[in-house]
Amino acid sequence: MMKTYIIEILCALLGSFGFSLLINLKKEKIFLASLGGGLTCFFYLLMVSQSVGNFTAYFWASVFATLYAEMMARILKAPVTIFVIPAVVPLIPGGSLYYTMECLMQKNFSMVKENAVETALIALAIALGITGVIIVLDIISLFARKQKIGE
Amino acid sequence: MNESIQEANELLKTALDIGETMLICGGEVSRVEDTITRICKSYGATRVNPFVITSSIVVTVEFHGGMTVTQTRRVNASATDFTLLEELNDLSRYICDNKPEILKLNELFEQRIRECEKKSRSKKKLLGFMLASASFAVFFGGNAIDSVIAAGIAVLIWLLEAYFRKIIQNQLLYQLFAAFVMGASAMAFSYSGLPVHVDKIMIGDIMLLIPGLAMTNAVRDVFSGDTISGMLRLCESLLMAAMIAAGTVSAVLLMGGRG
């Protein structure tokens, strides 16, 4: 069990690394960006091991990924998107998207429904995670600005 | 007055060049609007009204004395390149801080682009394609052979992107074609007698085609108030996902898969 986890995290790390090359990240940022993917996968597995629901696990993992990206972007003074993509990539529901298709071909409609719903839910969880962080950070920076003006 | 209108036009042209390239590279709409506004304001514009969606940019700039300048751009390319995006981000910051002469702006912009193009981009991309597909094939439960085959097909996808993208102008058709080629070659390996999982190979390669960046940017656009561009991007990426599905499914069915 432990071994599959480690393989999965390593693959997520390498996959994010591949994506960082693909979107042509700057050299000095590639390491931190792909680390984000590995950490996100680790965090996701951690949530899964706490036996929370699938939706919750994806939501918190995407919150983690976005927070990581925002942090890195602020530290390295780079656009946030640069770090969001490699960090979120391991969460993309490529698997359930494919199985939706496969079940459709096999005319196994109950499985089509199951897989399609799962794909949509994962996508929703990721989107919610990303926007949740953006909204909270916006509110925080709004308050920070107000306080500055107040001083 | 004539001269200043000329200068204003030149300024706006460069601002638009920078904004357009950022949009093509994968920048968010709000970032592009912000960049254009900042550049124009640092040269004394009193009001900047940018309207940016993924396929076009419209900007009207007002200067003191009631002079206004408007320019439009049609944008119909997309080639994610975050190095260039960062360089341009940097350039716009430099322009705002140092306010170089307007006539020299274009030269600065072209210099940055040339610097980025010098670096060998396509080899890096090939490596990225292979690495990403190989690791995601294993990530979703494939074995070592699956990952090698996925990487092999990734080379094919890279070749398509390098040589066929120019021929098939329509993004959706290109996506359909790429997914079909990917599905067909993965299916071919199912007859090879090797212990392969065709599904894992395809998932690994599908990850390369999925418009992940467009989808994330769509979500970001919608929630930063750019509803129209967000919706455009969302529709585009959903259509692309449908094309990927259609291409793969037809390849599997035509190759005599479990239909």
Side-chain angles (χ1 to χ4, degrees):
Chain A
M1 202 59 188
M2 202 60 207
K3 205 178 143 201
T4 44
Y5 281 169
I6 291 171
I7 289 179
E8 221 168 289
I9 293 170
L10 267 180
C11 285
L13 197 80
L14 279 175
S16 297
F17 178 58
F19 261 85
S20 314
L21 291 177
L22 208 145
I23 54 182
N24 199 14
L25 270 185
K26 276 194 171 177
K27 268 194 202 110
E28 61 270 22
K29 277 160 193 134
I30 287 181
F31 173 71
L32 283 172
S34 21
L35 188 67
L39 285 176
T40 304
C41 179
F42 171 72
F43 193 79
Y44 166 73
L45 291 173
L46 199 73
M47 294 308 289
V48 170
S49 72
Q50 302 299 308
S51 66
V52 294
N54 212 5
F55 185 82
T56 324
Y58 273 103
F59 171 75
W60 286 114
S62 123
V63 166
F64 173 84
T66 318
L67 273 179
Y68 179 87
E70 292 269 355
M71 222 169 66
M72 286 303 139
R74 260 154 234 212
I75 294 172
L76 297 171
K77 293 207 171 54
V80 190
T81 338
I82 285 180
F83 292 102
V84 174
I85 304 299
V88 170
V89 147
L91 300 177
I92 290 178
S96 51
L97 189 67
Y98 176 82
Y99 289 117
T100 311
M101 240 153 53
E102 196 183 73
C103 296
L104 199 65
M105 279 188 282
Q106 292 165 346
K107 303 200 175 67
N108 184 348
F109 293 114
S110 65
M111 283 306 286
V112 169
K113 210 170 90 186
E114 200 168 295
N115 278 313
V117 168
E118 184 172 309
T119 312
L121 278 182
I122 294 174
L124 185 67
I126 296 174
L128 266 184
I130 295 176
T131 49
V133 173
I134 294 175
I135 291 168
V136 171
L137 286 180
D138 272 359
I139 294 172
I140 291 174
S141 69
L142 189 75
F143 273 109
R145 224 176 296 148
K146 263 192 185 159
Q147 229 158 27
K148 236 183 198 171
I149 293 167
E151 280 166 13
Chain B
M1 188 71 187
N2 246 338
E3 212 168 88
S4 62
I5 279 192
Q6 227 167 33
E7 271 200 342
N9 263 318
E10 185 66 27
L11 169 69
L12 188 52
K13 181 186 162 290
T14 313
L16 272 172
D17 279 340
I18 294 175
E20 182 189 1
T21 318
M22 281 175 113
L23 201 59
I24 292 172
C25 290
E28 313 100 291
V29 164
S30 54
R31 178 178 306 280
V32 175
E33 287 187 349
D34 199 50
T35 303
I36 293 174
T37 310
R38 270 169 208 248
I39 291 177
C40 293
K41 282 216 164 149
S42 69
Y43 283 89
T46 47
R47 210 165 157 181
V48 185
N49 298 300
F51 175 69
V52 179
I53 56 177
T54 42
S55 53
S56 122
I57 305 177
V58 183
V59 188
T60 298
V61 188
E62 282 175 33
F63 290 91
H64 281 294
M67 178 175 74
T68 61
V69 182
T70 303
Q71 282 187 29
T72 1
R73 261 322 140 78
R74 172 80 167 99
V75 184
N76 47 17
S78 118
T80 315
D81 185 339
F82 281 174
T83 300
L84 192 51
L85 178 65
E86 259 190 85
E87 283 292 326
L88 292 176
N89 211 32
D90 216 48
L91 174 66
S92 86
R93 235 180 250 154
Y94 172 82
I95 291 177
C96 292
D97 290 343
N98 296 302
K99 301 192 188 64
E101 267 178 67
I102 288 179
L103 289 173
K104 283 191 180 148
L105 283 180
N106 198 38
E107 203 178 303
L108 279 173
F109 168 70
E110 270 168 13
Q111 190 188 335
R112 292 274 175 144
I113 294 223
R114 250 176 293 154
E115 270 168 28
C116 281
E117 274 174 358
K118 249 193 253 161
K119 294 162 197 158
S120 70
R121 159 143 175 56
S122 72
K123 267 181 210 152
K124 210 167 148 191
K125 201 168 180 184
L126 173 63
L127 193 66
F129 263 61
M130 289 169 70
L131 245 174
S133 62
S135 4
F136 280 117
V138 178
F139 182 78
F140 285 103
N143 58 26
I145 300 175
D146 297 337
S147 78
V148 172
I149 295 175
I153 296 176
V155 177
L156 207 64
I157 299 178
W158 177 78
L159 283 173
L160 286 183
E161 185 143 326
Y163 298 103
F164 268 86
R165 188 140 228 173
K166 286 172 218 141
I167 300 172
I168 306 178
Q169 289 275 331
N170 186 300
Q171 280 236 351
L172 290 175
L173 284 180
Y174 168 77
Q175 203 80 346
L176 183 73
F177 179 65
F180 182 82
V181 171
M182 186 275 291
S185 34
M187 276 308 286
F189 280 100
S190 72
Y191 296 111
S192 66
L194 291 166
V196 293
H197 307 97
V198 180
D199 50 343
K200 312 295 184 203
I201 297 173
M202 285 197 201
I203 295 172
D205 285 316
I206 283 177
M207 291 293 279
L208 300 179
L209 298 174
I210 285 183
L213 173 68
M215 278 195 197
T216 354
N217 267 350
V219 173
R220 294 177 67 87
D221 281 346
V222 169
F223 285 93
S224 52
D226 302 306
T227 322
I228 300 177
S229 13
M231 285 299 151
L232 265 179
R233 266 192 175 136
L234 195 66
C235 283
E236 240 172 45
S237 46
L238 286 179
L239 278 175
M240 278 202 206
M243 284 300 144
I244 297 171
T248 326
V249 165
S250 44
V252 172
L253 290 179
L254 282 175
M255 299 281 287
R258 299 140 293 176

